Amino acid sequence: MAAIKHDFQGKSNKSSTTAQVPGVFTSEILKSVVESVGYDKPADEALQYLSENLTFVIKETIQEATKFRNKSKRKMLSPADIDHALKVRNIEPVYGFTNKHYVPFRHASGGGREIYFQEDVDIDLEDLMSQSLPKAPLEITLKSHWLAIDGIQPSIPENPPPIKKEMQLNEVVSPFSKSRHIKEVGVDKVGSLNKNSTKEGKKESKSDKRKAEELKKIADEKADSQKCKPLVTHELSVEQQMYYKELTEASVGSIETKRTEALQSLSNDPGLYQLLPRFITFISEGVRVNVAQHNLAILIYLLRMIKSLLENSTLYLEKYLHEVIPAVMTCIVSKQLCPRPDFDNHWALRDFAARLMAQICKHFNTPTNNIQPRITKSLSLSLDMEKAPLSTHYGALAGLSELGFEVIKSIVLPRIKSESGLIKEAINGNNSAEKKAAEHLQALLVKHCTPVIFKTLSHGVVETQEQFVDKFGFVGNLIFQKVNQMKLTSLNRQQISALN
């Protein structure tokens, strides 16, 4: 223990303050300390050397600490100043004195000596035994859980909660709606204040009205500031990253069983909301790359992924239609989707993409976004291109035919004659790929246009084959035969129903 006496003498506020430190660590103090750690009868020369050296170090440390106190413009020396002084001298500082006001040492004097000691608290063993034991610290363990079981995500705390489709729809339709809290707390208060001000306008002063207007302005600014949703980075867990990797690889892989399971998971799993943006980007980028490489099989697999996502009742894809529609449209009207157009069955891909586009229009078309009119216009523009191959014409007409009766009646039927001229020219030509395309285009027009023509014919009016050829061109003969077959079938049904 150290016994240091400080004697400060001050004359006035303007005069300088001097400090005298006469105290030293005597040989007797060091002798008691040395004997307390187990050394008997230390040499007097060693005690004298230690006392002088220790006194010098302590004084120098206090001087450095005083400099830190003065630079901090404080009047009281703190333990932090001592720590800083020790750091400056490259000595490990003393830790543990974090309280600025309470000092745990007590003062005692007697026999001409003053000592400072730390008071020990008496502990009652009965109280100690009656206390409850502290909780044992938990061991570090690894816990596994199911991300999905048979394509269905279990409702456990480890898995992200599935977001309802209605909530996703609200985010799409009204993403900038004002929060209920602002409306109830902020705006309603201002509204009630304005009503009171109108009723008691004669009694209120101009300052009160001005204050009400300022409050309303502040509330409007707060509401407007919360219209814009902040950008949030969605981080995937390790399990979700593994699930995404396995599912995308299986969806475009060569193993049929894994591909079927992956597509079933996409159509049924309720926990895909956070992964949906990644899946859409994977599909759009995959279509862009594989169309350039003419990889027909991968394009079919990617469109199947879109179909599975559309069938998932817990997902709402309207936010991602700007990526989905161009991918599907590319597969419909692209000039070449496979390395050998005259042998490979890319017509099935175009038909599938056309049905998928009709499904998108059915689910997401509204008077606001006008998806179906815009798609109809895009497909019609593909037909007006001068150098477009017949495969593009086939895809555009397949897409228009899937959009329904009115689209075929108003857009496809007036174009049959011009398309017939292209079909006849391709059949008489030498290009085998164009011949194949002409045959498929002819079958497509007959399949989709014949029922519409049969329904639009006036009852009792009979048109000849020459009239059909004059009206529809080269395809008129086939359409005339199909219409007559439908007439006979309808007549037979009427006779059978009359007999019954």
mmCIF file with all atom_site columns, all heavy atoms in Angstrom, residues 152-166:
data_model
loop_
_atom_site.group_PDB
_atom_site.id
_atom_site.type_symbol
_atom_site.label_atom_id
_atom_site.label_alt_id
_atom_site.label_comp_id
_atom_site.label_asym_id
_atom_site.label_entity_id
_atom_site.label_seq_id
_atom_site.pdbx_PDB_ins_code
_atom_site.Cartn_x
_atom_site.Cartn_y
_atom_site.Cartn_z
_atom_site.occupancy
_atom_site.B_iso_or_equiv
_atom_site.pdbx_formal_charge
_atom_site.auth_seq_id
_atom_site.auth_comp_id
_atom_site.auth_asym_id
_atom_site.auth_atom_id
_atom_site.pdbx_PDB_model_num
ATOM 1   N N   . ILE A 1 152 ? -42.833 -29.702 -50.038 1.00 0.00 ? 152 ILE A N   1
ATOM 2   C CA  . ILE A 1 152 ? -43.631 -28.815 -49.177 1.00 0.00 ? 152 ILE A CA  1
ATOM 3   C C   . ILE A 1 152 ? -42.749 -28.359 -48.027 1.00 0.00 ? 152 ILE A C   1
ATOM 4   O O   . ILE A 1 152 ? -42.117 -29.164 -47.342 1.00 0.00 ? 152 ILE A O   1
ATOM 5   C CB  . ILE A 1 152 ? -44.879 -29.537 -48.638 1.00 0.00 ? 152 ILE A CB  1
ATOM 6   C CG1 . ILE A 1 152 ? -45.768 -29.993 -49.813 1.00 0.00 ? 152 ILE A CG1 1
ATOM 7   C CG2 . ILE A 1 152 ? -45.671 -28.637 -47.695 1.00 0.00 ? 152 ILE A CG2 1
ATOM 8   C CD1 . ILE A 1 152 ? -46.947 -30.818 -49.386 1.00 0.00 ? 152 ILE A CD1 1
ATOM 9   N N   . GLN A 1 153 ? -42.715 -27.048 -47.788 1.00 0.00 ? 153 GLN A N   1
ATOM 10  C CA  . GLN A 1 153 ? -41.887 -26.496 -46.725 1.00 0.00 ? 153 GLN A CA  1
ATOM 11  C C   . GLN A 1 153 ? -42.615 -26.605 -45.397 1.00 0.00 ? 153 GLN A C   1
ATOM 12  O O   . GLN A 1 153 ? -43.725 -26.101 -45.244 1.00 0.00 ? 153 GLN A O   1
ATOM 13  C CB  . GLN A 1 153 ? -41.577 -25.034 -47.015 1.00 0.00 ? 153 GLN A CB  1
ATOM 14  C CG  . GLN A 1 153 ? -40.797 -24.350 -45.911 1.00 0.00 ? 153 GLN A CG  1
ATOM 15  C CD  . GLN A 1 153 ? -40.572 -22.887 -46.220 1.00 0.00 ? 153 GLN A CD  1
ATOM 16  O OE1 . GLN A 1 153 ? -39.698 -22.536 -46.977 1.00 0.00 ? 153 GLN A OE1 1
ATOM 17  N NE2 . GLN A 1 153 ? -41.388 -22.031 -45.636 1.00 0.00 ? 153 GLN A NE2 1
ATOM 18  N N   . PRO A 1 154 ? -42.014 -27.278 -44.396 1.00 0.00 ? 154 PRO A N   1
ATOM 19  C CA  . PRO A 1 154 ? -42.678 -27.373 -43.092 1.00 0.00 ? 154 PRO A CA  1
ATOM 20  C C   . PRO A 1 154 ? -42.667 -26.040 -42.351 1.00 0.00 ? 154 PRO A C   1
ATOM 21  O O   . PRO A 1 154 ? -41.742 -25.241 -42.495 1.00 0.00 ? 154 PRO A O   1
ATOM 22  C CB  . PRO A 1 154 ? -41.839 -28.421 -42.346 1.00 0.00 ? 154 PRO A CB  1
ATOM 23  C CG  . PRO A 1 154 ? -40.498 -28.370 -43.006 1.00 0.00 ? 154 PRO A CG  1
ATOM 24  C CD  . PRO A 1 154 ? -40.748 -28.015 -44.443 1.00 0.00 ? 154 PRO A CD  1
ATOM 25  N N   . SER A 1 155 ? -43.705 -25.816 -41.571 1.00 0.00 ? 155 SER A N   1
ATOM 26  C CA  . SER A 1 155 ? -43.835 -24.563 -40.815 1.00 0.00 ? 155 SER A CA  1
ATOM 27  C C   . SER A 1 155 ? -43.078 -24.683 -39.490 1.00 0.00 ? 155 SER A C   1
ATOM 28  O O   . SER A 1 155 ? -43.640 -25.040 -38.452 1.00 0.00 ? 155 SER A O   1
ATOM 29  C CB  . SER A 1 155 ? -45.312 -24.248 -40.566 1.00 0.00 ? 155 SER A CB  1
ATOM 30  O OG  . SER A 1 155 ? -45.988 -24.064 -41.779 1.00 0.00 ? 155 SER A OG  1
ATOM 31  N N   . ILE A 1 156 ? -41.791 -24.419 -39.521 1.00 0.00 ? 156 ILE A N   1
ATOM 32  C CA  . ILE A 1 156 ? -40.940 -24.437 -38.342 1.00 0.00 ? 156 ILE A CA  1
ATOM 33  C C   . ILE A 1 156 ? -40.203 -23.115 -38.265 1.00 0.00 ? 156 ILE A C   1
ATOM 34  O O   . ILE A 1 156 ? -40.063 -22.409 -39.277 1.00 0.00 ? 156 ILE A O   1
ATOM 35  C CB  . ILE A 1 156 ? -39.953 -25.625 -38.377 1.00 0.00 ? 156 ILE A CB  1
ATOM 36  C CG1 . ILE A 1 156 ? -39.094 -25.577 -39.653 1.00 0.00 ? 156 ILE A CG1 1
ATOM 37  C CG2 . ILE A 1 156 ? -40.689 -26.946 -38.286 1.00 0.00 ? 156 ILE A CG2 1
ATOM 38  C CD1 . ILE A 1 156 ? -38.065 -26.689 -39.721 1.00 0.00 ? 156 ILE A CD1 1
ATOM 39  N N   . PRO A 1 157 ? -39.707 -22.713 -37.060 1.00 0.00 ? 157 PRO A N   1
ATOM 40  C CA  . PRO A 1 157 ? -39.059 -21.397 -36.934 1.00 0.00 ? 157 PRO A CA  1
ATOM 41  C C   . PRO A 1 157 ? -37.840 -21.221 -37.818 1.00 0.00 ? 157 PRO A C   1
ATOM 42  O O   . PRO A 1 157 ? -37.500 -20.097 -38.194 1.00 0.00 ? 157 PRO A O   1
ATOM 43  C CB  . PRO A 1 157 ? -38.678 -21.329 -35.443 1.00 0.00 ? 157 PRO A CB  1
ATOM 44  C CG  . PRO A 1 157 ? -39.593 -22.287 -34.768 1.00 0.00 ? 157 PRO A CG  1
ATOM 45  C CD  . PRO A 1 157 ? -39.853 -23.391 -35.753 1.00 0.00 ? 157 PRO A CD  1
ATOM 46  N N   . GLU A 1 158 ? -37.160 -22.330 -38.176 1.00 0.00 ? 158 GLU A N   1
ATOM 47  C CA  . GLU A 1 158 ? -35.942 -22.190 -38.973 1.00 0.00 ? 158 GLU A CA  1
ATOM 48  C C   . GLU A 1 158 ? -36.232 -21.788 -40.409 1.00 0.00 ? 158 GLU A C   1
ATOM 49  O O   . GLU A 1 158 ? -35.393 -21.170 -41.066 1.00 0.00 ? 158 GLU A O   1
ATOM 50  C CB  . GLU A 1 158 ? -35.149 -23.505 -38.960 1.00 0.00 ? 158 GLU A CB  1
ATOM 51  C CG  . GLU A 1 158 ? -34.449 -23.815 -37.648 1.00 0.00 ? 158 GLU A CG  1
ATOM 52  C CD  . GLU A 1 158 ? -35.397 -24.398 -36.615 1.00 0.00 ? 158 GLU A CD  1
ATOM 53  O OE1 . GLU A 1 158 ? -36.560 -24.672 -36.977 1.00 0.00 ? 158 GLU A OE1 1
ATOM 54  O OE2 . GLU A 1 158 ? -34.994 -24.587 -35.473 1.00 0.00 ? 158 GLU A OE2 1
ATOM 55  N N   . ASN A 1 159 ? -37.403 -22.133 -40.941 1.00 0.00 ? 159 ASN A N   1
ATOM 56  C CA  . ASN A 1 159 ? -37.734 -21.828 -42.323 1.00 0.00 ? 159 ASN A CA  1
ATOM 57  C C   . ASN A 1 159 ? -38.416 -20.463 -42.415 1.00 0.00 ? 159 ASN A C   1
ATOM 58  O O   . ASN A 1 159 ? -39.130 -20.048 -41.501 1.00 0.00 ? 159 ASN A O   1
ATOM 59  C CB  . ASN A 1 159 ? -38.662 -22.895 -42.903 1.00 0.00 ? 159 ASN A CB  1
ATOM 60  C CG  . ASN A 1 159 ? -37.939 -24.190 -43.199 1.00 0.00 ? 159 ASN A CG  1
ATOM 61  O OD1 . ASN A 1 159 ? -36.729 -24.183 -43.421 1.00 0.00 ? 159 ASN A OD1 1
ATOM 62  N ND2 . ASN A 1 159 ? -38.649 -25.291 -43.199 1.00 0.00 ? 159 ASN A ND2 1
ATOM 63  N N   . PRO A 1 160 ? -38.210 -19.736 -43.518 1.00 0.00 ? 160 PRO A N   1
ATOM 64  C CA  . PRO A 1 160 ? -38.886 -18.436 -43.671 1.00 0.00 ? 160 PRO A CA  1
ATOM 65  C C   . PRO A 1 160 ? -40.388 -18.631 -43.807 1.00 0.00 ? 160 PRO A C   1
ATOM 66  O O   . PRO A 1 160 ? -40.843 -19.571 -44.458 1.00 0.00 ? 160 PRO A O   1
ATOM 67  C CB  . PRO A 1 160 ? -38.266 -17.876 -44.972 1.00 0.00 ? 160 PRO A CB  1
ATOM 68  C CG  . PRO A 1 160 ? -37.792 -19.075 -45.711 1.00 0.00 ? 160 PRO A CG  1
ATOM 69  C CD  . PRO A 1 160 ? -37.362 -20.066 -44.668 1.00 0.00 ? 160 PRO A CD  1
ATOM 70  N N   . PRO A 1 161 ? -41.180 -17.761 -43.183 1.00 0.00 ? 161 PRO A N   1
ATOM 71  C CA  . PRO A 1 161 ? -42.636 -17.923 -43.276 1.00 0.00 ? 161 PRO A CA  1
ATOM 72  C C   . PRO A 1 161 ? -43.122 -17.622 -44.684 1.00 0.00 ? 161 PRO A C   1
ATOM 73  O O   . PRO A 1 161 ? -42.684 -16.660 -45.320 1.00 0.00 ? 161 PRO A O   1
ATOM 74  C CB  . PRO A 1 161 ? -43.164 -16.874 -42.274 1.00 0.00 ? 161 PRO A CB  1
ATOM 75  C CG  . PRO A 1 161 ? -42.080 -15.856 -42.196 1.00 0.00 ? 161 PRO A CG  1
ATOM 76  C CD  . PRO A 1 161 ? -40.790 -16.599 -42.388 1.00 0.00 ? 161 PRO A CD  1
ATOM 77  N N   . PRO A 1 162 ? -44.020 -18.446 -45.227 1.00 0.00 ? 162 PRO A N   1
ATOM 78  C CA  . PRO A 1 162 ? -44.549 -18.173 -46.573 1.00 0.00 ? 162 PRO A CA  1
ATOM 79  C C   . PRO A 1 162 ? -45.424 -16.932 -46.567 1.00 0.00 ? 162 PRO A C   1
ATOM 80  O O   . PRO A 1 162 ? -46.230 -16.712 -45.653 1.00 0.00 ? 162 PRO A O   1
ATOM 81  C CB  . PRO A 1 162 ? -45.353 -19.434 -46.885 1.00 0.00 ? 162 PRO A CB  1
ATOM 82  C CG  . PRO A 1 162 ? -45.687 -20.028 -45.565 1.00 0.00 ? 162 PRO A CG  1
ATOM 83  C CD  . PRO A 1 162 ? -44.560 -19.685 -44.643 1.00 0.00 ? 162 PRO A CD  1
ATOM 84  N N   . ILE A 1 163 ? -45.260 -16.102 -47.579 1.00 0.00 ? 163 ILE A N   1
ATOM 85  C CA  . ILE A 1 163 ? -46.039 -14.873 -47.709 1.00 0.00 ? 163 ILE A CA  1
ATOM 86  C C   . ILE A 1 163 ? -47.251 -15.145 -48.585 1.00 0.00 ? 163 ILE A C   1
ATOM 87  O O   . ILE A 1 163 ? -47.135 -15.733 -49.662 1.00 0.00 ? 163 ILE A O   1
ATOM 88  C CB  . ILE A 1 163 ? -45.173 -13.749 -48.319 1.00 0.00 ? 163 ILE A CB  1
ATOM 89  C CG1 . ILE A 1 163 ? -43.991 -13.471 -47.390 1.00 0.00 ? 163 ILE A CG1 1
ATOM 90  C CG2 . ILE A 1 163 ? -45.986 -12.477 -48.515 1.00 0.00 ? 163 ILE A CG2 1
ATOM 91  C CD1 . ILE A 1 163 ? -43.058 -12.409 -47.911 1.00 0.00 ? 163 ILE A CD1 1
ATOM 92  N N   . LYS A 1 164 ? -48.410 -14.729 -48.113 1.00 0.00 ? 164 LYS A N   1
ATOM 93  C CA  . LYS A 1 164 ? -49.640 -15.018 -48.834 1.00 0.00 ? 164 LYS A CA  1
ATOM 94  C C   . LYS A 1 164 ? -49.660 -14.296 -50.173 1.00 0.00 ? 164 LYS A C   1
ATOM 95  O O   . LYS A 1 164 ? -49.061 -13.247 -50.362 1.00 0.00 ? 164 LYS A O   1
ATOM 96  C CB  . LYS A 1 164 ? -50.850 -14.598 -47.997 1.00 0.00 ? 164 LYS A CB  1
ATOM 97  C CG  . LYS A 1 164 ? -51.010 -15.406 -46.715 1.00 0.00 ? 164 LYS A CG  1
ATOM 98  C CD  . LYS A 1 164 ? -52.265 -14.975 -45.966 1.00 0.00 ? 164 LYS A CD  1
ATOM 99  C CE  . LYS A 1 164 ? -52.441 -15.799 -44.693 1.00 0.00 ? 164 LYS A CE  1
ATOM 100 N NZ  . LYS A 1 164 ? -53.650 -15.396 -43.953 1.00 0.00 ? 164 LYS A NZ  1
ATOM 101 N N   . LYS A 1 165 ? -50.408 -14.890 -51.106 1.00 0.00 ? 165 LYS A N   1
ATOM 102 C CA  . LYS A 1 165 ? -50.499 -14.326 -52.454 1.00 0.00 ? 165 LYS A CA  1
ATOM 103 C C   . LYS A 1 165 ? -51.198 -12.970 -52.448 1.00 0.00 ? 165 LYS A C   1
ATOM 104 O O   . LYS A 1 165 ? -50.881 -12.089 -53.241 1.00 0.00 ? 165 LYS A O   1
ATOM 105 C CB  . LYS A 1 165 ? -51.248 -15.309 -53.355 1.00 0.00 ? 165 LYS A CB  1
ATOM 106 C CG  . LYS A 1 165 ? -51.137 -15.007 -54.830 1.00 0.00 ? 165 LYS A CG  1
ATOM 107 C CD  . LYS A 1 165 ? -51.724 -16.137 -55.647 1.00 0.00 ? 165 LYS A CD  1
ATOM 108 C CE  . LYS A 1 165 ? -51.565 -15.866 -57.138 1.00 0.00 ? 165 LYS A CE  1
ATOM 109 N NZ  . LYS A 1 165 ? -52.102 -16.977 -57.946 1.00 0.00 ? 165 LYS A NZ  1
ATOM 110 N N   . GLU A 1 166 ? -52.160 -12.787 -51.520 1.00 0.00 ? 166 GLU A N   1
ATOM 111 C CA  . GLU A 1 166 ? -52.858 -11.501 -51.450 1.00 0.00 ? 166 GLU A CA  1
ATOM 112 C C   . GLU A 1 166 ? -51.897 -10.383 -51.048 1.00 0.00 ? 166 GLU A C   1
ATOM 113 O O   . GLU A 1 166 ? -51.974 -9.262  -51.571 1.00 0.00 ? 166 GLU A O   1
ATOM 114 C CB  . GLU A 1 166 ? -54.013 -11.589 -50.442 1.00 0.00 ? 166 GLU A CB  1
ATOM 115 C CG  . GLU A 1 166 ? -55.178 -12.467 -50.867 1.00 0.00 ? 166 GLU A CG  1
ATOM 116 C CD  . GLU A 1 166 ? -54.868 -13.947 -50.725 1.00 0.00 ? 166 GLU A CD  1
ATOM 117 O OE1 . GLU A 1 166 ? -53.835 -14.260 -50.104 1.00 0.00 ? 166 GLU A OE1 1
ATOM 118 O OE2 . GLU A 1 166 ? -55.654 -14.777 -51.238 1.00 0.00 ? 166 GLU A OE2 1
#
